[in-house]
mmCIF file of all heavy atoms in Angstrom:
data_model
loop_
_atom_site.group_PDB
_atom_site.id
_atom_site.type_symbol
_atom_site.label_atom_id
_atom_site.label_comp_id
_atom_site.label_asym_id
_atom_site.label_seq_id
_atom_site.Cartn_x
_atom_site.Cartn_y
_atom_site.Cartn_z
ATOM 1 N N ARG A 283 -18.401 14.691 -0.626
ATOM 2 C CA ARG A 283 -18.273 16.051 -0.087
ATOM 3 C C ARG A 283 -19.455 16.406 0.817
ATOM 4 O O ARG A 283 -19.284 17.095 1.829
ATOM 5 C CB ARG A 283 -18.169 17.060 -1.232
ATOM 6 C CG ARG A 283 -17.816 18.467 -0.782
ATOM 7 C CD ARG A 283 -16.527 18.474 0.023
ATOM 8 N NE ARG A 283 -15.656 19.572 -0.354
ATOM 9 C CZ ARG A 283 -14.472 19.809 0.193
ATOM 10 N NH1 ARG A 283 -14.008 19.010 1.145
ATOM 11 N NH2 ARG A 283 -13.723 20.809 -0.211
ATOM 12 N N ARG A 284 -20.636 15.901 0.491
ATOM 13 C CA ARG A 284 -21.802 16.189 1.326
ATOM 14 C C ARG A 284 -21.719 15.503 2.694
ATOM 15 O O ARG A 284 -22.334 15.954 3.657
ATOM 16 C CB ARG A 284 -23.084 15.731 0.619
ATOM 17 C CG ARG A 284 -23.460 16.547 -0.597
ATOM 18 C CD ARG A 284 -24.887 16.277 -1.040
ATOM 19 N NE ARG A 284 -25.122 14.897 -1.426
ATOM 20 C CZ ARG A 284 -24.958 14.427 -2.653
ATOM 21 N NH1 ARG A 284 -24.522 15.230 -3.635
ATOM 22 N NH2 ARG A 284 -25.222 13.159 -2.930
ATOM 23 N N HIS A 285 -20.934 14.433 2.772
ATOM 24 C CA HIS A 285 -20.889 13.635 4.001
ATOM 25 C C HIS A 285 -19.542 13.690 4.716
ATOM 26 O O HIS A 285 -19.383 13.077 5.772
ATOM 27 C CB HIS A 285 -21.213 12.176 3.680
ATOM 28 C CG HIS A 285 -22.636 11.957 3.268
ATOM 29 N ND1 HIS A 285 -23.090 12.240 2.004
ATOM 30 C CD2 HIS A 285 -23.704 11.508 3.971
ATOM 31 C CE1 HIS A 285 -24.372 11.954 1.928
ATOM 32 N NE2 HIS A 285 -24.774 11.527 3.104
ATOM 33 N N TYR A 286 -18.588 14.420 4.137
ATOM 34 C CA TYR A 286 -17.224 14.436 4.696
ATOM 35 C C TYR A 286 -16.656 15.828 4.475
ATOM 36 O O TYR A 286 -16.469 16.259 3.319
ATOM 37 C CB TYR A 286 -16.378 13.367 4.005
ATOM 38 C CG TYR A 286 -14.982 13.209 4.560
ATOM 39 C CD1 TYR A 286 -14.730 12.354 5.634
ATOM 40 C CD2 TYR A 286 -13.901 13.888 4.003
ATOM 41 C CE1 TYR A 286 -13.457 12.183 6.137
ATOM 42 C CE2 TYR A 286 -12.623 13.733 4.511
ATOM 43 C CZ TYR A 286 -12.402 12.878 5.576
ATOM 44 O OH TYR A 286 -11.129 12.713 6.075
ATOM 45 N N GLN A 287 -16.359 16.542 5.544
ATOM 46 C CA GLN A 287 -15.965 17.944 5.437
ATOM 47 C C GLN A 287 -14.460 18.179 5.583
ATOM 48 O O GLN A 287 -14.011 19.321 5.465
ATOM 49 C CB GLN A 287 -16.722 18.777 6.478
ATOM 50 C CG GLN A 287 -18.230 18.737 6.301
ATOM 51 C CD GLN A 287 -18.668 19.120 4.897
ATOM 52 O OE1 GLN A 287 -18.254 20.156 4.383
ATOM 53 N NE2 GLN A 287 -19.484 18.283 4.271
ATOM 54 N N ASN A 288 -13.689 17.140 5.836
ATOM 55 C CA ASN A 288 -12.237 17.315 5.946
ATOM 56 C C ASN A 288 -11.595 17.293 4.560
ATOM 57 O O ASN A 288 -12.290 17.287 3.549
ATOM 58 C CB ASN A 288 -11.645 16.240 6.855
ATOM 59 C CG ASN A 288 -12.093 16.387 8.297
ATOM 60 O OD1 ASN A 288 -12.691 17.393 8.671
ATOM 61 N ND2 ASN A 288 -11.823 15.380 9.113
ATOM 62 N N THR A 289 -10.267 17.274 4.515
ATOM 63 C CA THR A 289 -9.555 17.383 3.243
ATOM 64 C C THR A 289 -9.919 16.244 2.301
ATOM 65 O O THR A 289 -9.793 15.063 2.642
ATOM 66 C CB THR A 289 -8.035 17.392 3.479
ATOM 67 O OG1 THR A 289 -7.709 18.515 4.308
ATOM 68 C CG2 THR A 289 -7.284 17.507 2.156
ATOM 69 N N LEU A 290 -10.357 16.623 1.088
ATOM 70 C CA LEU A 290 -10.823 15.663 0.088
ATOM 71 C C LEU A 290 -10.024 15.832 -1.195
ATOM 72 O O LEU A 290 -9.814 16.960 -1.665
ATOM 73 C CB LEU A 290 -12.311 15.879 -0.182
ATOM 74 C CG LEU A 290 -12.991 14.921 -1.159
ATOM 75 C CD1 LEU A 290 -12.952 13.491 -0.633
ATOM 76 C CD2 LEU A 290 -14.436 15.356 -1.418
ATOM 77 N N VAL A 291 -9.607 14.699 -1.773
ATOM 78 C CA VAL A 291 -8.863 14.684 -3.030
ATOM 79 C C VAL A 291 -9.780 14.175 -4.139
ATOM 80 O O VAL A 291 -10.325 13.072 -4.054
ATOM 81 C CB VAL A 291 -7.623 13.783 -2.937
ATOM 82 C CG1 VAL A 291 -6.877 13.761 -4.278
ATOM 83 C CG2 VAL A 291 -6.700 14.257 -1.826
ATOM 84 N N GLY A 292 -9.949 14.991 -5.169
ATOM 85 C CA GLY A 292 -10.707 14.581 -6.343
ATOM 86 C C GLY A 292 -9.806 13.930 -7.371
ATOM 87 O O GLY A 292 -8.592 14.131 -7.382
ATOM 88 N N VAL A 293 -10.417 13.151 -8.254
ATOM 89 C CA VAL A 293 -9.670 12.467 -9.301
ATOM 90 C C VAL A 293 -10.662 12.019 -10.362
ATOM 91 O O VAL A 293 -11.863 11.960 -10.117
ATOM 92 C CB VAL A 293 -8.893 11.248 -8.731
ATOM 93 C CG1 VAL A 293 -9.839 10.098 -8.419
ATOM 94 C CG2 VAL A 293 -7.773 10.796 -9.658
ATOM 95 N N GLY A 294 -10.177 11.697 -11.544
ATOM 96 C CA GLY A 294 -11.033 11.075 -12.538
ATOM 97 C C GLY A 294 -11.223 11.877 -13.800
ATOM 98 O O GLY A 294 -12.272 12.488 -14.000
ATOM 99 N N SER A 295 -10.196 11.915 -14.651
ATOM 100 C CA SER A 295 -10.263 12.535 -15.982
ATOM 101 C C SER A 295 -10.421 14.051 -15.940
ATOM 102 O O SER A 295 -10.989 14.650 -16.855
ATOM 103 C CB SER A 295 -11.395 11.907 -16.804
ATOM 104 O OG SER A 295 -11.184 10.524 -16.965
#
Side-chain angles (χ1 to χ4, degrees):
R283 189 56 137 180
R284 290 194 299 271
H285 291 79
Y286 184 87
Q287 299 306 309
N288 293 350
T289 300
L290 183 63
V291 179
V293 74
S295 300

